[in-house]
Amino acid sequence: MPKFETTRPVAHTPEQMFALVADVERYPEFLPLCQRLSIRSEREKEGKRLLIADMTVAYKLVRETFTSQVLLKPDDRQIEVQYVDGPFRYLDNRWTFNPRADGGCDVTFFIDYEFKSRTLGILMGSMFDYAFRRFAEAFERRADAIYARTGQVTGAA
């Protein structure tokens, strides 16, 4: 049952980092193992946005697609991801974006998951663990590239 949590201070605002993580369809451009991501459905209610999304991850000859529910809560500066279907027994992922006095924010990334299949866990487990540990860094690099270039806050896509 791999579990990982990290908090990273970044030079970007909570709103910028929230927008970046909420832009799930761009993940294949920069996230480790993420080959494809598509949104199945989307709805808004009371300032929150709920997405149902399919993500395909690939490593060597193994390709797996899973479905998750992504709850975007901009007023709370949180993103919650719950597993719906695919190769996992469960997957729980949370992001929080807390402002700092210097104008940046602390980004907390938490993930807890387990594969249904022991074989798949052995095949993909160490690679997933490596990739998930690099997710926060990948988002930070992406933010540096985007916001250093544009210098502005953008809304979640």
Side-chain angles (χ1 to χ4, degrees):
M1 284 81 49
K3 187 184 292 191
F4 177 71
E5 183 170 11
T6 186
T7 299
R8 297 178 62 86
V10 298
H12 310 289
T13 69
E15 294 78 16
Q16 288 174 318
M17 293 307 295
F18 180 93
L20 190 78
V21 176
D23 192 8
V24 299
E25 289 180 299
R26 298 246 185 240
Y27 287 9
E29 296 174 17
F30 66 95
L31 267 189
L33 301 183
C34 183
Q35 188 175 61
R36 187 176 78 70
L37 197 139
S38 61
I39 295 175
R40 279 191 195 186
S41 67
E42 178 177 349
R43 67 176 195 244
E44 283 195 48
K45 185 177 181 180
E46 299 174 3
K48 298 175 184 166
R49 205 163 124 220
L50 181 67
L51 312 173
I52 304 298
D54 292 327
M55 179 185 240
T56 301
V57 295
Y59 176 66
K60 296 189 179 183
L61 299 177
V62 179
R63 246 182 107 187
E64 289 289 338
T65 298
F66 64 95
T67 304
S68 58
Q69 172 181 289
V70 181
L71 181 60
L72 306 172
K73 302 177 354 182
D75 292 343
D76 298 331
R77 296 185 199 99
Q78 295 179 344
I79 297 174
E80 299 172 355
V81 181
Q82 296 295 317
Y83 175 68
V84 175
D85 188 41
F88 297 99
R89 186 174 318 279
Y90 67 87
L91 182 139
D92 178 26
N93 173 219
R94 292 186 301 276
W95 293 87
T96 56
F97 311 91
N98 294 310
R100 288 198 334 260
D102 65 2
C105 73
D106 289 326
V107 177
T108 300
F109 171 77
F110 168 84
I111 191 156
D112 182 14
Y113 69 96
E114 181 179 355
F115 286 102
K116 287 179 189 174
S117 157
R118 181 186 296 260
T119 304
L120 187 59
I122 291 168
L123 262 169
M124 297 279 291
S126 63
M127 195 56 191
F128 262 65
D129 188 50
Y130 173 81
F132 287 147
R133 290 177 184 275
R134 301 299 176 261
F135 269 25
E137 295 169 22
F139 280 98
E140 187 176 350
R141 282 192 307 273
R142 176 84 170 171
D144 288 346
I146 288 174
Y147 298 125
R149 183 180 67 231
T150 64
Q152 61 187 357
V153 176
T154 61

